[in-house]
Amino acid sequence: MFPYKIQSHQDIPIKAVRQRFDFANDILTMIGNEGFDVGCILFTDEAHFHLNRFVNKQNWRFWGSENPHLCEEKPLHSPKVTAWVEVCSRNIIGPFFMRETISSESYITILEQFVSTQLALEDRPSIEWFMQAGARPLCTEMVFHFLDEYFGNRVIALDYPKFTGTGMDWPPYSPDLTPCDYFLWGALKDTVYGNHPSTLDELESAICVTCYSISVETLKDVISNFILRLRHLIFSNGEHFENIVV
């Protein structure tokens, strides 16, 4: 069964709706006036993959006009791994895995591995922006100091400008804008469990193989879809909209 949470449009705070609209408007203005290339945004995210085929991504939602107050039961202690990835128009870096609860310290360890890998690439653009969503262990002073050292004002993250005075806020309540949420995690789930991995090692291996099999052409389409979503967000005045097929 596909994991989900039902949430209505009315559950979204008015402030968040405005933040979403302003973010879309800012990015589209940068594209139109400055020739900003969204392909240089390094979109990052993490999700839990359970051996019982459950993929836990908190931001996944089925949006509706009303909240039917449904819930889905799931095992409390199912064996799982947490996969963290970066997605852009050129490649996927990762996945990097954790089997313990994510913390600021463990997240920085992943960021160190990511930065080391990213710096070694030969096809890096001259300017790169780092994006992360708003999970609490990711929005700490320790993490923001690390990101400031490597990316400076080219960070899109919830509360980052409040800590550093630079960068852009990632708008809350925005799973419909992140490539990992609207594309990657679903694509992985459809393939990873096809061979029925029975151990965490097999599960990690299957996630890696599936990530490596995604073509550059597909990634370019996924990032182009991000621009389309920004335009739909403007049209919907910051509200959530129906899924757009990549």
Side-chain angles (χ1 to χ4, degrees), residues 73-212:
E73 295 184 0
K74 62 180 181 179
L76 183 61
H77 300 295
S78 172
K80 69 179 187 300
V81 297
T82 300
W84 184 96
V85 298
E86 173 270 325
V87 176
C88 68
S89 62
R90 301 175 309 282
N91 55 43
I92 293 178
I93 294 183
F96 301 105
F97 295 106
M98 291 175 290
R99 297 189 183 182
E100 72 280 358
T101 301
I102 189 170
S103 64
S104 295
E105 291 78 9
S106 61
Y107 180 53
I108 287 179
T109 298
I110 286 179
L111 289 178
E112 289 173 341
Q113 298 176 66
F114 162 70
V115 168
S116 176
T117 303
Q118 181 71 8
L119 292 176
L121 295 178
E122 296 181 355
D123 62 342
R124 293 176 59 213
S126 57
I127 297 177
E128 296 168 317
W129 284 70
F130 180 93
M131 170 271 162
Q132 68 174 32
R136 184 166 298 179
L138 281 58
C139 299
T140 65
E141 187 172 359
M142 179 189 306
V143 170
F144 288 157
H145 279 318
F146 182 95
L147 295 177
D148 182 54
E149 178 181 354
Y150 285 96
F151 296 98
N153 64 347
R154 299 185 305 278
V155 174
I156 306 172
L158 183 65
D159 291 336
Y160 184 78
K162 182 172 68 176
F163 277 82
T164 65
T166 63
M168 298 178 65
D169 263 315
W170 176 258
Y173 299 90
S174 298
D176 49 353
L177 294 182
T178 68
C180 291
D181 278 313
Y182 66 70
F183 165 71
L184 183 63
W185 301 133
L188 290 183
K189 182 180 186 296
D190 289 341
T191 305
V192 161
Y193 293 103
N195 292 325
H196 307 287
S198 59
T199 67
L200 293 182
D201 287 340
E202 291 179 359
L203 180 58
E204 289 183 357
S205 178
I207 294 171
C208 289
V209 169
T210 305
C211 282
Y212 301 155

Side-chain angles (χ1 to χ4, degrees), residues 7-9 12 17 20 61 63 172-176 233 236 238-242:
Q7 182 167 341
S8 69
H9 295 295
I12 308 169
V17 171
R20 283 165 48 81
R61 301 288 190 271
W63 304 107
Y173 299 90
S174 298
D176 49 353
L233 185 53
S236 64
E239 296 282 358
H240 287 103
F241 47 83
E242 295 297 326

Side-chain angles (χ1 to χ4, degrees), residues 211-227:
C211 282
Y212 301 155
S213 69
I214 298 174
S215 68
V216 174
E217 289 73 19
T218 296
L219 294 177
K220 289 180 179 178
D221 289 341
V222 169
I223 301 305
S224 294
N225 191 262
F226 171 69
I227 300 176

